[in-house]
Amino acid sequence: MKVVIVGGVAGGATAAARVRRLDEHAQIVVFERSGFISYANCGLPYYIGGVIEDPEELTLQTPESFYERFRIQMKVHHEVVSVHPDRKTVLVKNLKTGEAFEESYDKLLLSPGAKPVRPDLPGMDTDKLLTLRTVEDTFKIKSFIDQNKPKSAVIVGGGFIGLEVAENLREIGMDVTIVQRPKQLMNPFDADMAAFIHAEVRKHGVKLVLGSRVEGFEEKDDGIDVLLQDSPSLHADMVVLAIGVQPEAELAERAGLALGRKGSILVNDRMETSVPDIFAVGDAVQVKHYVTGEDALIALAGPANKQGRIAADNICGGDSRYQGSQGSSVIKVFDMTAAVTGINETNAGKAGLDVDTVILSPMSHAGYYPGGKLMTMKVVFEKKTYRLLGAQIVGYEGVDKRIDVLATAIHTGLKATDLKDLDLAYAPPYSSAKDPVNMAGFMIDNISKGLKQWHLADADKLPRDGSVILLDTRTTAEFSRGHMEGFQNIPVDELRDRVGELEAEKPVYVICQSGLRSYIAVRILEGYGFEAYNFSGGFRLYDAVMNDRALIEAAHGCGMDRQK
């Protein structure tokens, strides 16, 4: 059996090695357009920032090491320019010599990946505008910095790549501004959770221009102007374009393969395309979202590697199935870690799901053990069924651990209420006897048994005419430093003695700093016959979101994010 693989990075390299492990005698040829195989896409920004110093560390394998270990021909600087399913051949061009030749196959695997989105805007041809996708792109950016010593950069796009590049450029001392058309960074997160990411980015000196559309670029004064719609232009020494990626599926389209969303390659759960003996994996393919079941494009390394293994199994006569992509991901944001899995509240609403959320701010480990730090966790679940749909966490320690537990819970079909029953490891330096994941489960279990909540979206809708009681149960000192309009202050520890100050026939909307004291207050009030509602997330969440919104609005139209 002869297997030809187009693309030698995550999915392609994984598939090649798996085919070899399953079939010692298969002939395997991999064509990779760039000069590198099996490289760490996710590590590329960290070479620019000097965190990864040796460029060889960016490549997990070389063509030589791959051949030595697996006897697989890895042909770099070779581009497959067409596929001919009728005669089971591909036309290949040697990019160094210009030579073109045909290569036959019994099984063909397409793993072309995705390419950076490059909109049709004026000034896109300037050499001061760069993108980051391949090792060569990384070297180009690093060389530009080394040769030109730029002092400022504008990053267009606030997703994973944009945020990581911004951090690394900032770490080497550059003045950095991120421009993003939506009014938040990191769209997998809801806006309330993104507010914490914004605060961390601003704290490290990165300026944010959110809610602004880029209309073009113009070289000026030995630098480049980023032209914004309805706002003054931004001037910088360089620009990195990171507004997303799109499937690189032109090869499949020309070969007559069926396409999916945004021109992606359509595959079934065996990673088979519409043409017999042709498989496809990675960022170029359409998948099913594991939570919603809807068609999706999820460009992440984990799914690509799993798909490569599954395709290889099926190429070798097996029957492996891809169950869908869940979108689990994590990112370092300066000192902070932010992670997400499943779907957020915003996208759940767009999918027509009736959902609720809990937001909590637990410590990363036992409070009495030194060094614990707060994290903020948001868990999304379906109202009637309590099906667990997604989670987002931002914090400093233990975030990755908790998101992986929640991702596993979603994958195995646990209900949100089941989180309370998970038997998770505990020692004071690492967790609490009631782990944050368990705490989320306790909160959702309380809701399932009748506990009432109110949310950030309700804050402006609450009547201030006296028809309801608005109660802040923090200490007097906390209340004096800031509170919601119209709220009165009775500290939770005084509530039993002062409950007579409240009119029993009126519903009570309660808030505290994080949601814990207000929960205790709600239970006290319920014991006295009140109808009481607990604010999800606490004043800490409210304050973070309100400050963030004020900064975004102040920056909009000014061309820069003014610090408070």
Side-chain angles (χ1 to χ4, degrees), residues 58 63 107 135 137 183 195 248 282 296 360 423 463 505 511 530 533:
L58 295 173
K107 305 286 184 181
V135 175
D137 293 337
K183 286 192 175 182
E248 191 148 2
L360 58 158
D423 193 351
E505 70 277 5
I511 189 172
F530 285 84
Y533 298 79

Side-chain angles (χ1 to χ4, degrees), residues 279-430:
F279 297 74
V281 301
D283 296 352
V285 305
Q286 175 180 291
V287 297
K288 293 291 183 184
H289 196 288
Y290 187 81
V291 175
T292 66
E294 295 179 348
D295 296 333
L297 299 176
I298 299 179
L300 293 169
N305 277 276
K306 286 188 276 288
Q307 293 162 14
R309 178 186 172 93
I310 289 167
D313 286 351
N314 295 323
I315 285 170
C316 293
D319 188 24
S320 293
R321 306 276 175 162
Y322 187 63
Q323 297 182 27
S325 294
Q326 198 169 304
S328 302
S329 56
V330 63
I331 184 172
K332 176 182 176 294
V333 185
F334 292 97
D335 299 326
M336 177 180 277
T337 300
V340 63
T341 188
I343 58 172
N344 61 27
E345 182 182 12
T346 304
N347 289 333
K350 291 177 180 177
L353 297 171
D354 187 18
V355 303
D356 201 354
T357 68
V358 293
I359 300 177
L360 58 158
S361 299
M363 295 290 285
S364 57
H365 61 241
Y368 61 82
Y369 188 89
K373 295 183 178 180
L374 278 176
M375 66 177 71
T376 303
M377 177 187 297
K378 181 174 185 176
V379 179
V380 183
F381 58 94
E382 201 166 26
K383 277 186 178 178
K384 292 182 180 178
T385 66
Y386 290 91
R387 180 165 69 107
L388 190 58
L389 300 174
Q392 303 153 60
I393 312 176
V394 294
Y396 297 91
E397 292 179 359
V399 169
D400 53 342
K401 168 183 175 178
R402 273 68 186 216
I403 205 71
D404 283 344
V405 171
L406 289 161
T408 303
I410 291 171
H411 186 81
T412 55
L414 293 185
K415 289 186 176 182
T417 48
D418 293 330
L419 297 176
K420 71 183 189 304
D421 300 317
L422 295 178
D423 193 351
L424 303 174
Y426 159 62
Y430 304 107

Side-chain angles (χ1 to χ4, degrees), residues 39 111 141 168 181 184 221 285 327 333 344 350 386 414 419-420 432 494 527 538-539:
Y39 57 81
S111 183
I141 294 174
N168 280 277
R181 186 169 65 180
Q184 71 167 82
D221 300 331
V285 305
V333 185
N344 61 27
K350 291 177 180 177
Y386 290 91
L414 293 185
L419 297 176
K420 71 183 189 304
S432 300
E494 301 176 15
F539 188 78

Side-chain angles (χ1 to χ4, degrees), residues 78-97:
H78 281 70
E79 180 179 10
V80 174
V81 295
S82 61
V83 177
H84 305 286
D86 53 339
R87 57 181 186 270
K88 299 186 82 168
T89 64
V90 295
L91 180 63
V92 186
K93 183 178 181 180
N94 184 325
L95 298 179
K96 282 193 169 182
T97 67

Side-chain angles (χ1 to χ4, degrees), residues 19-28 69-71:
V19 170
R20 172 57 72 228
R21 289 194 292 271
L22 296 178
D23 187 340
E24 179 61 25
H25 303 290
Q27 182 183 354
I28 308 168
R69 175 66 57 85
F70 298 110
R71 292 299 186 269

Side-chain angles (χ1 to χ4, degrees), residues 199-220:
E200 181 72 8
V201 169
R202 292 186 184 110
K203 185 175 81 173
H204 286 83
V206 175
K207 294 179 281 293
L208 301 180
V209 180
L210 305 176
S212 292
R213 181 193 294 269
V214 173
E215 293 198 318
F217 307 92
E218 185 177 294
E219 289 199 50
K220 188 176 181 181

